[in-house]
Amino acid sequence: MPKSRIRKKAEFTPPSSATKQATSIKLTNRSWVAPVMLALFLIGLAWIVVFYVTETQLPIEALGNWNIVVGFGFIAAGFGVSTQWK
């Protein structure tokens, strides 16, 4: 049985417009994302824990059980901020 020939692939060279576009993208410093994300997680967790430990007297008594929603809102905001992390 005859051997098949090995085919060489041509070297890929990107078009000149792609190299210009890649250099024009500005990289931003996102060092603020992780601290803000963790802070929002901890604030939300602390809000819910304080609500349960004080038996609905704190953080805001007038909100009643809506304090749980506020705590989870902080946590959800933390997840929203985490989408900016690279």
Side-chain angles (χ1 to χ4, degrees), residues 43-78:
I43 290 170
L45 179 65
W47 192 286
I48 294 170
V49 168
V50 167
F51 175 71
Y52 278 116
V53 169
T54 61
E55 297 177 354
T56 70
Q57 299 300 313
L58 290 174
I60 301 174
E61 187 177 5
L63 288 179
N65 287 335
W66 283 97
N67 280 302
I68 298 171
V69 175
V70 172
F72 278 113
F74 278 113
I75 294 171

